[in-house]
Each structure stands twice: as structure tokens, then as C-alpha cells.
Amino acid sequence: MNYSDDIQLHKRFDLTGHRAFITGSARGIGRAIAMGLAEYGAQVIVHGVKESEKLASALESVRKLSPTSFAVTGDLGDPNAPEKIAEQIKAHSELPDIFIANASLQFRCEWDKISLEDSILQMQVNFHSTLKLSQLFYPVMKAQKWGRIVTIGSVQEFRPHPHMAVYAGSKSAQENLVRNIARQVASEGITVNNIAPGVFYTDRNEEALSNPEYAKKVTDCIPSHTYAEPADAAGAALLLCSDAGRYITGTNIVVDGGLRLPG
């Protein structure tokens, strides 16, 4: 191996020539990550459950940075959706070598009242679809000896919400899957990592955080005393997806303002 002081760090973040697929990228954290990867040169495949104004808006914004980007649709609650999505992608491009599993589903309910139907659906969207899509994209990554898989978890891996037991459990299972797969594919030039966001101001939380009393209650629990914006997850994703993060695998980057810390 040759070593050089001339690392040209900015070039190591360049994603030109790579193809990134981000589930649930019509809004929130997924959209911010899509924008970030497009800004650094990746062809981005944005995703939504179905055609919508939000999906069209996200694609329009991404294309200003990466003109060859496109959109696909599919409800990840359907066990057959990953294969259908892969077929849509292949109609436009090669399968991606960067996969961000961002889409998730959460139902608030007391643990002893969770229905089997709701439990299965959350696990399908939050865990099983991640595994299946990773399996579908893995051959491309393996063949070119380069690939990135990033799952979007949650601070609930550390501090599970009492009314989201299955959601928290699914995120912990996903993070465990990341550590398992990462060890097996590291020698093939593929990294697998998890990002665990804390409290983010997205449309999912907008109504609750618009209440000043509730917002203060939440931020009082966060050492930084503020919640995050979607773009706060994009930097971590860019690092893990680029060659700047090539030696990071099987890890969990927590973006929570310190919420998980004891105190």
C-alpha cells in the first residue's frame, strides 16, 4: 500500500458514477439524504409508496443536482414490493450500488394492545424489506467490489418509547442485521452501517413539535436542547456512502444531540 500526504479529501466524498436508492425519499430525512448524495454526484433513485406531489417535488429538486435521477414507487408493506421496485429500477438504469433503507412505519399503541396485524406490518416495512432489498442489490455490489448499505434506525434502539414497542424492536433488529452482514461482506469492498436519528423536525413530528409546551418537554430531555433538521442526517449518510468512509463498517452513528446519553 502506498501512503501519501496528498489525500485530497474533497475527492473522496465524490459519488460520481454511483447509483443511490433511498426508500421513503419523498420527504423528511430520506429526501434530505437524496439531495445530499445528488449534490455529490450520485444518480439518485427517489422512492415513494405511490405517485404523489411530494414525490414529484423531491425528484424535481434532486434532478437540479443530478439530472439523470428518477423515481420509483412501491408499498414496502407488500412482501413482493422489493422485486417490483428492482424491476422498475432496471427499466431505467443498473441496480444501485448505494442502498439507504430509510422508509419506516410506526404505530403508537400500548404494548399489550398491539395487534398481530400491526406488528407484522411494521416488521415487514422496517426490517424484512431492508433485508430483501439488500439481497437484491448485493450481487451488483459484489461484482464491482464496491457497495454501500446504510440503514436508518432510531434512538429508540437505546431509549424505546413505551407506546412504540414494535417499532423500537424492529430498529434494534435492523441494527443487529447490519452488524451481522457487515462482517460477512467487508472483504468484498462493501460497507454496511446504521444511522440512528433522535428527534427530527419532519412532517411526521411537525404537528406534535408545533405545540410549544410539548416541544419544550422534548428539548429539555436532549442535552443539546434542540431537535434536528432532516439535513442533519445527510452528512452522516454522505460519509458512510463515500470513499471518505470506506473503513467504517458494522457501526452505528447516532445523530441525536445526546438524547441517548444517561444523566
Side-chain angles (χ1 to χ4, degrees):
M1 179 179 290
N2 295 320
Y3 297 93
S4 171
D5 291 332
D6 183 20
I7 61 174
Q8 296 185 307
L9 188 59
H10 67 286
K11 290 186 178 180
R12 301 189 71 182
F13 284 97
D14 184 18
L15 294 175
T16 302
H18 293 293
R19 306 165 304 283
F21 173 53
I22 304 104
T23 61
S25 44
R27 58 189 179 90
I29 291 173
R31 176 171 175 157
I33 292 174
M35 293 290 291
L37 301 190
E39 182 179 347
Y40 280 79
Q43 179 189 53
V44 173
I45 306 154
V46 297
H47 164 261
V49 173
K50 59 184 179 180
E51 297 289 348
S52 67
E53 290 184 7
K54 287 185 177 180
L55 181 61
S57 173
L59 179 58
E60 181 180 8
S61 296
V62 165
R63 276 183 169 167
K64 290 178 181 178
L65 301 167
S66 176
T68 64
S69 297
F70 58 95
V72 297
T73 59
D75 184 352
L76 295 175
D78 174 6
N80 297 315
E83 287 88 349
K84 295 175 182 177
I85 288 170
E87 289 303 315
Q88 290 179 61
I89 294 173
K90 286 191 288 187
H92 291 85
S93 175
E94 293 182 69
L95 289 177
D97 54 7
I98 297 172
F99 169 43
I100 313 285
N102 168 73
S104 68
L105 189 64
Q106 59 179 221
F107 297 132
R108 290 176 177 258
C109 182
E110 296 176 4
W111 74 268
D112 57 343
K113 296 180 175 60
I114 299 169
S115 70
L116 178 61
E117 181 182 22
D118 285 351
S119 177
I120 290 173
L121 182 57
Q122 288 177 91
M123 290 302 297
Q124 170 59 39
V125 174
N126 302 352
F127 180 83
H128 295 301
S129 69
T130 296
L131 173 59
K132 187 60 183 178
L133 286 165
S134 298
Q135 291 171 332
L136 289 169
F137 303 148
Y138 168 62
V140 170
M141 300 179 187
K142 181 180 180 180
Q144 65 184 28
K145 298 287 288 184
W146 194 100
R148 302 289 185 264
I149 298 173
V150 180
T151 60
I152 306 300
S154 171
V155 72
Q156 291 197 44
E157 297 160 30
F158 307 92
R159 296 185 53 158
H161 193 289
H163 287 167
M164 287 188 272
V166 174
Y167 174 80
S170 71
K171 293 302 183 178
S172 292
Q174 182 176 258
E175 189 276 331
N176 189 288
L177 181 69
V178 161
R179 286 184 282 116
N180 190 311
I181 297 173
R183 186 175 184 84
Q184 298 183 63
V185 302
S187 65
E188 298 168 342
I190 303 168
T191 66
V192 189
N193 291 287
N194 187 69
I195 296 173
V199 180
F200 273 62
Y201 191 88
T202 64
D203 55 355
R204 173 179 279 179
N205 301 321
E206 183 176 6
E207 183 177 352
L209 293 175
S210 294
N211 181 323
E213 291 183 6
Y214 179 78
K216 184 179 186 305
K217 181 180 178 180
V218 170
T219 54
D220 283 349
C221 296
I222 304 172
S224 66
H225 295 299
T226 186
Y227 38 76
E229 300 291 338
D232 290 318
L238 175 62
L239 170 65
L240 295 176
C241 291
S242 68
D243 284 336
R246 71 178 186 88
Y247 208 59
I248 302 171
T249 195
T251 196
N252 193 2
I253 295 183
V254 187
V255 186
D256 71 343
L259 178 60
R260 78 199 179 283
L261 300 173

